[in-house]
Amino acid sequence: MSKAHFGLIGLGVMGENLVLNAERNGFSSVVYNRTFSKTESFLKGRGAGKSIIGARSFKEFVDSLERPRRILMMIKAGSATDAVIDEISPYLEEGDLLIDGGNSEFRDTERRVSQLESRNFGYIGMGVSGGSKGALEGPSMMPGGTKSSYEAIESLVSKMAAQVEDGPCVTYIGPGGSGHFVKTVHNGIEYGIEQILSESYDLMKRVSGMKGEQMANVMAQWNRTEELTSYLVEITEVCLREKDTNDGEDLVEKIMDKAGQKGTGLWTVSSALELGISVPTIYASLNARVMSSLKDQRVKAESIIKNIPVISFNLGTVDNGMEPLMDAVVLATICSYAQGMDLLKAASEEFKYNLSMPSIAKIWKGGCIIRSSLLSRIQEAYNNNPDLLNLLLDPWFADQVNRKLTNLSKVVSGAAQSGIPVPCLSSSLDYINSYRTSRLPQNLVQAMRDCFGSHTYERLDMKGPYHTDWLK
Ligand code: 6PG
């Protein structure tokens, strides 16, 4: 029997869909799952009648694959990944390739790349985005590792990936853990946009008294604009329109207001802090999830800390597409992307990843959760100026800021006066205001530091450093 082109470990939803995707694209496959009963039911069900076989052991799995073996692991990030690597590697031969398609921490991937490559196996840490539907129909893929390892999987992933007008949504990202780093930042941006849209829903509901259907119609309008056409706006419309089958009310109102997280948002923020990059919109979205998890405390606090009555302020009308609110959402979304891109640039320098910003924007244009029309503008911005310091300085984005900042300020101020938390909208406003202010009050911080700790300061008018005996 001829050997399979591709091997997959881990038949979760993502794994199943990715192997069906590979098979549809002409790559006969072999699958392995820790419990063989799962493999059997997959082969009898969705895998039936396809060029996919199952293996009961790692030996059988490895023996069924053509060389060099291309093996994708879709398993829980962390120690489970190390355990599978340890178990399978005795059966691998020089040149074989393991691909980790989970959401692994990029430093774990760095370690695994160097361990496996020192044994002459290839190791690719590949971010995969698009959820279960994307995995089946074409995800965005972010593979990192050595270039030669990538070349061995290029034909496979180029066919499996989503396709946009300028090619497949996959490219060689860079060495080491760069693929997982880029996926981590993708998720940080994703957290930001999810929270921004949730804040806009809260304002429409609490200030304008709108119901799911009306808000869904607004999302549909936003999704037809250049600034907001995106997958996340599209699914927000879907979520807001859905009714509870029990009573026909908006289903979203029945959902517990606690958001979980699996780590990537936290890693984005901790990497940003380590690299000294400002990501307040992304941080605010992470913190909003943390705050949301304190449900019991929030319920208690609501009975103790007095409510501020909601004031009426202009969020716009359905007829004008809730224009002031939309402007606020657009700017905050731009901030989420700008901060993520800034972090990628810093990491590229620090970790010598040599990331191509236009290519990353390109492979995010299709398949992934943060795909949006803004990404074409982002791609263009970095193509026009590879040394762009911040997305907000690109002429198209600067024009957006100049035209929409007043509305963002009004929406944030109305929300503040109404006691409605809008952490991502308000931190985006502060981000823009700080970034465009040439003189910040940190001169006083410097004075205090020098006053109590003799930390010294620089002066604007003379070369330093200086120290003053403040408490004389
Ligand atoms: C994607 C998603 C996906 C991820 C969660 C984020 O790009 O397809 O980012 O990989 O698992 O959506 O996880 P949490 O919100 O649970 O942290």
Side-chain angles (χ1 to χ4, degrees), residues 14 103 128-132 142 183 186-187 190-191 194 260-265 289 367-370:
M14 291 294 285
N103 275 328
V128 178
S129 177
S132 52
M142 295 147 247
K183 175 62 180 12
H186 164 286
N187 281 22
E190 171 187 306
Y191 276 43
E194 287 167 350
Q261 51 175 306
K262 295 194 204 75
T264 45
R289 290 192 188 195
C368 72
I369 304 295
I370 62 167

Side-chain angles (χ1 to χ4, degrees), residues 262-388:
K262 295 194 204 75
T264 45
L266 171 66
W267 301 335
T268 304
V269 172
S270 62
S271 308
L273 292 174
E274 276 167 25
L275 292 169
I277 299 300
S278 178
V279 295
T281 308
I282 297 174
Y283 170 69
S285 66
L286 178 72
N287 189 55
R289 290 192 188 195
V290 174
M291 191 54 97
S292 81
S293 70
L294 307 177
K295 177 75 176 174
D296 295 344
Q297 289 187 47
R298 290 188 287 113
V299 169
K300 186 164 186 205
E302 194 176 76
S303 67
I304 298 172
I305 302 171
K306 224 173 69 201
N307 233 354
I308 301 176
V310 172
I311 61 159
S312 145
F313 64 98
N314 182 22
L315 288 175
T317 61
V318 178
D319 286 344
N320 69 12
M322 309 294 292
E323 199 188 338
L325 181 61
M326 179 181 154
D327 284 356
V329 167
V330 170
L331 286 196
T333 303
I334 288 174
C335 286
S336 195
Y337 282 112
Q339 293 163 22
M341 298 313 270
D342 209 10
L343 176 54
L344 288 181
K345 267 182 35 214
S348 181
E349 235 165 75
E350 178 69 21
F351 306 132
K352 312 268 177 294
Y353 283 160
N354 197 23
L355 299 178
S356 156
M357 306 302 279
S359 306
I360 291 169
K362 185 206 127 184
I363 63 163
W364 285 351
K365 286 198 303 188
C368 72
I369 304 295
I370 62 167
R371 62 184 184 262
S372 70
S373 51
L374 279 180
L375 282 159
S376 298
R377 293 287 182 180
I378 296 174
Q379 182 185 17
E380 201 179 302
Y382 286 105
N383 265 332
N384 290 343
N385 180 3
D387 300 321
L388 188 63

Side-chain angles (χ1 to χ4, degrees), residues 154-330:
E154 190 169 8
S155 60
L156 171 76
V157 288
S158 303
K159 289 216 176 81
M160 287 175 74
Q163 310 290 323
V164 287
E165 71 284 358
D166 43 1
C169 292
V170 62
T171 189
Y172 173 62
I173 297 288
S178 60
H180 277 139
F181 189 85
V182 170
K183 175 62 180 12
T184 294
V185 175
H186 164 286
N187 281 22
I189 297 170
E190 171 187 306
Y191 276 43
I193 303 172
E194 287 167 350
Q195 174 66 23
I196 291 160
L197 292 171
S198 302
E199 291 172 19
S200 77
Y201 142 79
D202 207 22
L203 289 172
M204 284 190 274
K205 183 173 78 168
R206 291 172 64 183
V207 178
S208 306
M210 292 163 71
K211 295 279 183 213
E213 198 66 27
Q214 291 169 297
M215 294 187 272
N217 290 341
V218 171
M219 291 296 152
Q221 288 185 57
W222 288 1
N223 200 30
R224 287 193 291 270
T225 61
E226 182 188 358
E227 297 91 331
L228 286 182
T229 301
S230 61
Y231 175 69
L232 283 169
V233 170
E234 182 187 319
I235 62 163
T236 305
E237 177 194 345
V238 171
C239 297
L240 289 171
R241 222 179 271 292
E242 189 70 24
K243 300 284 179 245
D244 185 346
T245 45
N246 293 324
D247 58 10
E249 297 291 315
D250 293 337
L251 179 60
V252 74
E253 298 310 327
K254 306 283 172 71
I255 298 177
M256 171 62 81
D257 49 329
K258 279 164 127 178
Q261 51 175 306
K262 295 194 204 75
T264 45
L266 171 66
W267 301 335
T268 304
V269 172
S270 62
S271 308
L273 292 174
E274 276 167 25
L275 292 169
I277 299 300
S278 178
V279 295
T281 308
I282 297 174
Y283 170 69
S285 66
L286 178 72
N287 189 55
R289 290 192 188 195
V290 174
M291 191 54 97
S292 81
S293 70
L294 307 177
K295 177 75 176 174
D296 295 344
Q297 289 187 47
R298 290 188 287 113
V299 169
K300 186 164 186 205
E302 194 176 76
S303 67
I304 298 172
I305 302 171
K306 224 173 69 201
N307 233 354
I308 301 176
V310 172
I311 61 159
S312 145
F313 64 98
N314 182 22
L315 288 175
T317 61
V318 178
D319 286 344
N320 69 12
M322 309 294 292
E323 199 188 338
L325 181 61
M326 179 181 154
D327 284 356
V329 167
V330 170

